Amino acid sequence: MSDLTLLEKWFGILDTIGINEDGSTSRLGYTDTEDKMIEAVVGISDECGLKHYKDEAGNTFIHNGSGDGDYTIIGSHLDSVVQGGKFDGVSGVLAGLLILKKIEEQKLNIPVKVGIFRMEESSVFGIASVGSKLITGNLEEASLKKASNPESVSLYDIMTKRGYSTSPAMIKNLKQYFELHIEQGRVLEAKGLPLGIVSSIAAPVRMWIKFTGNQDHSGATPMDLRKDSLVGAAELITALETFGKEELSNASVATTGIVRNTPNVFNVVPGETLLGIDIRGIDKESRERVVQNTEKKAAAIAEKRGLKCDISRVSQSDPVKLDEELQKKLSKTAEKLGIPHMVMPSGAGHDAMFFTKLCPVGMIFIPCKEGISHSKEEHAEIEDIVTGCKVLWDYLLTS
Ligand code: GLV
Ligand code: MN
Ligand code: MN
């Protein structure tokens, strides 16, 4: 079976899990649906004669049993955002599996493990890459206790109920880490290139901003006697967009992705509005300017409108630069194979970022249709995944 047909078959198996009626995927981290995705991939790997184990945080590693020495990880994630697509994360895991299968079939002595990292998406709890952060020393247990879902259940409680450790052992013996991922942007497609080599990865600050006012009767409360939390929040949402636009040249971005308005009915002046805000960038100072401006503006709005304002940072990571030597070597490999490519930054976050303190990290991007991601419209060509695999495969064989 060709690599293309095999990948199509594997995607076909996974495309039955966590699919919503509208065709989008909801495969949230540390849920039964994410478990099913992992079980399905482990099932495929069993059929390929591969082995696997789970670590204390619930991350899964697929390998061929080749020794205890230093090894290469090819990894990514199988969870998705709420109403996401089928290629984010999954492409990287299946690419790793394809490469490991070849290594096993050809009985090559190249120690590789496919890493499947839990809860890469921050959709619900505001913390991204939970599995990879935990085993690389990038996440404190206290943050898991603080992070909670809309039902006020903490991520700490969810993980411990599922039998996972929130302070697992660190991963060891890493030689290098690779991740193949869809670009989630429009650059490769616009340039007609099948491959990107990632130079750096932007990182987020995520925060909750809660406005509290007076919940009142919408008919009986005159306009000059209101303390409407939603109107204060609305003012902040548009200000946040302006702060993001002011940093366009530094590539920072700012998004209000969550609005939880209480009680959220026709005939009541809103009394409490919670905003979930995501501010990202490659330039830390630029990103911090957006954060500071947002915090100041929230306080000023609260003062002006007689509201109470509570701000808390849920999570924060540093932008990272990926290994320059690996970038050069991957570029050379692509050149040798006649694959046109470019070096580019990543605006989205990835598990790869958290391995940079432990070993050299390389990442390759493949195009996705119109750059759309975190949407049911997300689409990548399997042929492009095969192209990315060719580069990683050749690099592993010749390095
Ligand atoms: C991961 O998908 C992210 O939110 O960057
Ligand atoms: Mn994603
Ligand atoms: Mn991803």
Side-chain angles (χ1 to χ4, degrees):
M1 207 182 279
S2 73
D3 290 350
L4 187 101
T5 315
L6 199 57
L7 282 170
E8 274 171 358
K9 184 177 150 201
W10 292 349
F11 269 101
I13 294 169
L14 300 181
D15 285 355
T16 60
I17 302 168
I19 309 293
N20 301 314
E21 264 178 27
D22 65 356
S24 63
T25 65
S26 292
R27 300 161 172 166
L28 300 181
Y30 290 114
T31 63
D32 293 348
T33 313
E34 190 191 33
D35 285 346
K36 277 188 199 146
M37 288 291 286
I38 296 167
E39 278 158 28
V41 170
V42 164
I44 295 169
S45 75
D46 285 346
E47 279 177 26
C48 300
L50 298 166
K51 306 178 191 336
H52 70 275
Y53 63 89
K54 207 169 252 194
D55 71 11
E56 294 168 307
N59 301 307
T60 298
F61 295 87
I62 299 171
H63 61 108
N64 67 353
S66 62
D68 294 327
D70 289 358
Y71 57 90
T72 298
I73 286 193
I74 305 178
S76 201
H77 60 100
L78 294 176
D79 65 314
S80 79
V81 298
V82 177
Q83 297 177 356
K86 295 174 183 163
F87 294 88
D88 179 357
V90 178
S91 306
V93 170
L94 295 185
L97 197 54
L98 188 76
I99 289 167
L100 183 58
K101 179 176 184 286
K102 277 181 199 287
I103 291 173
E104 173 62 7
E105 281 167 356
Q106 300 183 24
K107 299 286 169 231
L108 299 171
N109 184 22
I110 307 176
V112 165
K113 294 184 187 182
V114 178
I116 304 172
F117 302 106
R118 303 292 300 236
M119 192 181 269
E120 192 271 348
E121 302 290 2
S122 57
S123 288
V124 178
F125 292 94
I127 307 181
S129 301
V130 174
S132 53
K133 271 182 185 163
L134 279 171
I135 59 166
T136 54
N138 284 292
L139 185 56
E140 301 288 325
E141 205 176 54
S143 304
L144 299 172
K145 288 187 173 161
K146 215 171 95 184
S148 57
N149 65 15
E151 291 77 43
S152 301
V153 184
S154 75
L155 183 50
Y156 173 88
D157 283 344
I158 286 179
M159 287 184 66
T160 39
K161 265 201 195 111
R162 287 185 166 259
Y164 298 123
S165 167
T166 49
S167 51
M170 294 297 98
I171 191 162
K172 281 199 233 126
N173 298 344
L174 289 185
K175 180 181 175 204
Q176 56 196 351
Y177 176 101
F178 289 113
E179 184 162 351
L180 175 150
H181 206 281
I182 55 169
E183 181 202 335
Q184 306 179 285
R186 291 166 177 77
V187 178
L188 290 175
E189 192 181 63
K191 291 189 185 285
L193 295 173
L195 189 83
I197 291 166
V198 180
S199 52
S200 53
I201 306 179
V205 170
R206 296 206 173 91
M207 48 191 188
W208 292 116
I209 299 189
K210 185 165 84 180
F211 288 103
T212 311
N214 286 347
Q215 184 174 322
D216 269 315
H217 195 293
S218 70
T221 315
M223 294 308 287
D224 60 344
L225 293 180
R226 295 179 178 214
K227 289 185 178 171
D228 183 330
S229 58
L230 181 59
V231 186
E235 216 179 299
L236 186 66
I237 292 171
T238 51
L240 179 72
E241 187 195 34
T242 307
F243 301 145
K245 282 185 174 164
E246 283 168 2
E247 297 295 331
L248 193 65
S249 61
N250 295 314
S252 291
V253 289
T255 309
T256 305
I258 300 175
V259 179
R260 288 194 197 132
N261 186 48
T262 310
N264 214 34
V265 294
F266 273 118
N267 57 347
V268 181
V269 178
E272 187 180 290
T273 308
L274 182 69
L275 302 179
I277 288 175
D278 172 301
I279 299 169
R280 307 197 192 197
I282 285 179
D283 176 336
K284 232 174 134 179
E285 283 176 17
S286 158
R287 183 186 73 176
E288 194 52 30
R289 269 195 298 278
V290 181
V291 172
Q292 297 285 339
N293 285 341
T294 306
E295 289 178 346
K296 270 190 230 144
K297 183 74 182 177
I301 292 169
E303 169 85 27
K304 182 180 77 180
R305 293 182 170 274
L307 304 170
K308 183 168 171 277
C309 173
D310 299 294
I311 302 178
S312 65
R313 289 198 192 190
V314 198
S315 62
Q316 170 162 349
S317 312
D318 285 341
V320 295
K321 286 197 180 357
L322 299 190
D323 190 78
E324 282 187 17
E325 272 307 297
L326 273 188
Q327 286 172 47
K328 280 186 206 145
K329 287 177 182 166
L330 290 171
S331 281
K332 272 206 175 136
T333 306
E335 247 160 59
K336 186 181 89 182
L337 297 174
I339 299 168
H341 60 279
M342 65 179 288
V343 175
M344 62 194 300
S346 170
H350 302 288
D351 292 302
M353 334 172 44
F354 304 102
F355 290 88
T356 52
K357 282 189 194 136
L358 302 186
C359 66
V361 171
M363 239 194 122
I364 56 179
F365 273 168
I366 58 156
C368 58
K369 193 169 160 244
E370 291 169 30
I372 299 170
S373 183
H374 287 185
S375 155
K376 73 175 162 69
E377 306 301 334
E378 181 180 279
H379 181 76
E381 295 299 331
I382 308 278
E383 206 181 313
D384 288 329
I385 303 179
V386 173
T387 301
C389 286
K390 276 189 190 143
V391 175
L392 288 179
W393 172 246
D394 194 90
Y395 176 75
L396 288 172
L397 282 188
T398 55
S399 62

